[in-house]
Amino acid sequence: MAERGEPQIRIRPNSKAALDSNWPALATTDLSILTKWSEETPDAGAGSVAKAEPGGFWFWEIDSKEALQRLKADTGKEITDAFMVRSRFGRGHFHFRHSAASLAMGN
């Protein structure tokens, strides 16, 4: 994910909670820092950090296949070329780069 440009943080083992209390400031794509963290805390996971800034990332979590069907029914559009991380069948996160339109949309 860091190679894609997504800032990363350390995550507590078997959790979604950040390992470091000042994680927003520590989020990085620097592979030397990520390697050091991996050596320091080999049981920790990693998490991508969304940042509402030009070129930053935002994520859309879907909890079922039906979410994509609702998107098409409501908007007439489909997601065809987005990067997705699947957490399990029918669930996952789409990863998008911010644009002026997405920043204007808000949270």
Side-chain angles (χ1 to χ4, degrees), residues 5-103:
E6 295 184 23
Q8 299 294 296
I9 59 170
R10 292 188 282 192
I11 302 293
R12 295 181 187 281
N14 302 311
S15 172
K16 293 182 180 180
L19 184 65
D20 301 292
S21 60
N22 55 342
W23 62 268
L26 293 174
T28 185
T29 58
D30 185 321
L31 295 179
S32 65
I33 292 172
L34 296 171
T35 299
K36 180 178 175 251
W37 287 351
S38 180
E39 292 167 354
E40 290 175 357
T41 52
D43 293 335
S48 294
V49 176
K51 291 191 175 187
E53 61 189 27
F57 286 86
W58 65 278
F59 313 115
W60 180 42
E61 179 180 12
I62 61 166
D63 293 327
S64 70
K65 299 182 297 186
E66 290 75 27
L68 296 176
Q69 294 166 345
R70 283 194 317 270
L71 174 72
K72 185 173 182 182
D74 291 350
T75 68
K77 304 210 183 270
E78 293 183 74
I79 298 175
T80 58
D81 62 350
F83 180 79
M84 182 185 185
V85 176
R86 184 174 307 223
S87 53
R88 60 182 160 217
F89 183 75
R91 298 181 67 155
H93 296 83
F94 286 99
H95 294 222
F96 302 95
R97 279 210 183 260
H98 269 298
S99 65
S102 66
L103 288 168

